[in-house]
């Protein structure tokens, strides 16, 4: 824990907080959040990773991440030099094992709207001369948000906010971490973020097909944010968790309480009828590596032998009814 100071209004606010890492997905209001973090923490306490060639990237990132490729040395120097916040256009996996996903945050945006915004940004600021269709068909621009969060248990993130609900998401983040990052509107291509770009029907259909995985991801994030808000309004705690896979023996997943160390009890239902409960205490090495909490002892399994195929199993938090990500899960034939 480290002492930090808030100086935006010329006074000092004592707050204790672990360092946070912000995955800045382009065109998701990340610049507004980054500037807000600069104002709260102080620019000297904000470390930046915007690529090895970017003038914005901090020297300790260039030296230890890109040149020496020594993540542990970076982490040691990061703390020693008093940094409290990391931001940048990096994939979450780059820093997950040193910060831990519970100390990582990001914002995601409606995938189609985000692509239009980024295209216009490239035309406006970088002289991009290709058509919109040529831009969104480039491999690098397909499912970009999803790829930046790939191989990460994102429901265990400190917070995955929504650009279209930026002020609400920021309030949740500030409340969770006892921060006062101010609400700013910076680097916006339009004055009103909530106004949707209009597309030709064929473009929208193709974009939806190309980015189907990311659209599903975005919908899941929206649903989980709804639950986070609902639980917060009644003084109950959010649980990060997901149903992850099925084999011939059962259905598997994980769940972890956000603010305490007790194991989560998962309720299993079929057609609205409760058929059992399981406690999430199984060991999951990947979740331990990514710093999800409880040393990775957050897994659960459900024996599915007695259920017919094509039935849907619902896995929810027993204490609140909050559904886990990927629930309900339709049982399929397995080899």
């Amino acid at each position: 824990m480290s002492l930090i100071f808030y100086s935006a209004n010329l006074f000092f606010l004592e707050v204790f907080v672990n360092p946070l890492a912000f995955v800045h997905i382009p065109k998701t209001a990340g610049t507004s959040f980054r500037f807000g973090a600069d104002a709260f923490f102080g620019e000297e306490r904000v470390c930046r990773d915007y690529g090895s060639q970017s003038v914005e990237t901090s020297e300790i990132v260039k030296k230890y991440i890109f040149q020496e490729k020594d993540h542990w040395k970076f982490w040691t120097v990061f703390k020693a030099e008093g940094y409290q916040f990391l931001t940048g256009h990096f994939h979450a996996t780059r820093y997950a094992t040193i910060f831990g996903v519970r100390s990582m945050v990001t914002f995601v945006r409606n995938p189609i709207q985000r692509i239009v915004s980024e295209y216009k940004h490239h035309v406006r600021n970088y002289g991009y001369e290709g058509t919109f269709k040529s831009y969104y068909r480039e491999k690098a621009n397909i499912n970009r948000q999803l790829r930046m969060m790939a191989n990460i248990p994102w429901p265990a993130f400190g917070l995955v906010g929504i650009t279209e609900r930026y002020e609400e998401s920021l309030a949740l983040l500030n409340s969770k971490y006892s921060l006062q990052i101010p609400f700013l509107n910076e680097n916006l291509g339009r004055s009103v973020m909530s106004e949707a770009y209009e597309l030709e029907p064929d473009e929208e259909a193709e974009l939806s097909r190309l980015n189907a995985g990311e659209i599903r991801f975005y919908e899941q994030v929206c649903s989980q944010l709804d639950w986070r808000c609902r639980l917060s309004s009644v003084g109950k705690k959010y649980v990060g968790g997901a149903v992850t896979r099925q084999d011939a023996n059962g259905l598997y997943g994980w769940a972890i309480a956000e603010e305490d160390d007790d194991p989560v009890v998962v309720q299993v239902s079929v057609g609205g009828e409760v058929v059992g409960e399981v406690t999430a205490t199984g060991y999951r090495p990947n979740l331990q590596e990514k710093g999800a909490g409880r040393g990775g002892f957050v897994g659960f399994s459900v024996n599915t032998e007695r259920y017919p195929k094509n039935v849907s199993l619902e896995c929810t938090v027993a204490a609140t009814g909050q559904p886990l990500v990927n629930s309900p899960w339709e049982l399929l034939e397995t080899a």
Side-chain angles (χ1 to χ4, degrees), residues 45-322:
R45 295 178 183 270
V46 175
C47 186
R48 297 168 178 80
D49 178 356
Y50 285 92
S52 60
Q53 303 304 313
S54 174
V55 296
E56 292 190 71
T57 297
S58 300
E59 288 304 314
I60 68 167
V61 172
K62 291 181 178 179
K63 180 177 182 179
Y64 298 113
I65 298 297
F66 292 111
Q67 296 172 13
E68 299 185 11
K69 295 179 170 45
D70 188 340
H71 282 61
W72 185 252
K73 184 64 175 179
F74 162 79
W75 181 233
T76 301
V77 175
F78 179 95
K79 293 185 293 183
E81 294 191 1
Y83 287 111
Q84 284 291 333
F85 189 83
L86 172 70
T87 179
H89 292 324
F90 49 79
H91 286 221
T93 52
R94 180 175 294 170
Y95 293 102
T97 54
I98 55 176
F99 280 84
V101 292
R102 302 181 91 178
S103 293
M104 300 184 78
V105 298
T106 193
F107 295 92
V108 299
R109 183 177 179 182
N110 176 289
I112 294 176
Q113 293 294 308
R114 196 206 67 81
I115 291 172
V116 179
S117 179
E118 188 169 38
Y119 166 71
K120 291 181 177 295
H121 178 77
H122 277 246
V123 170
R124 185 171 59 248
N125 296 291
Y126 302 116
Y128 183 83
E129 297 180 349
T131 66
F132 177 48
K133 286 186 177 181
S134 66
Y135 182 82
Y136 72 63
R137 288 170 177 169
E138 292 178 14
K139 185 177 180 180
N141 297 324
I142 297 173
N143 288 320
R144 188 172 185 190
Q145 297 179 106
L146 187 59
R147 287 187 290 106
M148 289 184 72
M149 296 290 284
N151 301 314
I152 288 292
W154 67 262
F157 248 49
L159 183 82
V160 181
I162 301 292
T163 302
E164 292 84 353
R165 298 164 62 180
Y166 177 67
E167 190 168 7
E168 180 182 24
S169 299
L170 179 61
L172 287 168
L173 186 146
N174 278 334
S175 175
K176 175 176 178 176
Y177 293 108
S178 299
L179 306 177
Q180 292 186 19
I181 295 175
F183 173 75
L184 303 174
N185 287 302
E186 303 290 341
N187 197 35
L188 298 181
R190 297 173 299 161
S191 59
V192 183
M193 179 68 72
S194 60
E195 293 181 359
Y197 292 109
E198 294 185 4
L199 299 173
E200 295 296 327
D202 66 312
E203 293 176 333
E204 187 159 5
E206 185 177 16
L207 279 163
S208 296
R209 177 179 59 80
L210 290 173
N211 297 278
E214 185 170 298
I215 290 171
R216 181 170 182 268
F217 164 62
Y218 174 77
E219 290 171 347
Q220 290 176 328
V221 172
C222 288
S223 176
Q224 290 297 299
L225 188 67
D226 286 341
W227 270 97
R228 187 185 285 273
C229 293
R230 190 178 309 169
L231 294 169
S232 177
S233 70
V234 294
K236 295 184 178 181
K237 304 304 181 183
Y238 175 79
V239 167
V243 182
T244 55
R245 66 183 180 91
Q246 173 196 350
D247 64 19
N249 298 313
L251 187 65
Y252 304 88
W254 59 273
I256 181 167
E258 187 171 66
E259 296 186 19
D260 63 53
D261 205 39
D262 294 331
V264 174
V265 177
V266 176
Q267 192 172 81
V268 183
S269 304
V270 177
E273 180 182 349
V274 177
V275 295
E277 291 184 346
V278 290
T279 304
T281 57
Y283 179 56
R284 298 291 187 268
N286 178 61
L287 290 161
Q288 178 192 30
E289 178 190 25
K290 299 299 191 300
R294 297 199 86 246
F297 291 93
V298 295
F300 67 87
S301 61
V302 179
N303 188 316
T304 58
E305 291 180 349
R306 63 190 175 112
Y307 302 112
K309 304 311 173 188
N310 300 319
V311 72
S312 291
L313 292 187
E314 299 173 74
C315 296
T316 60
V317 178
T320 63
Q322 175 198 337

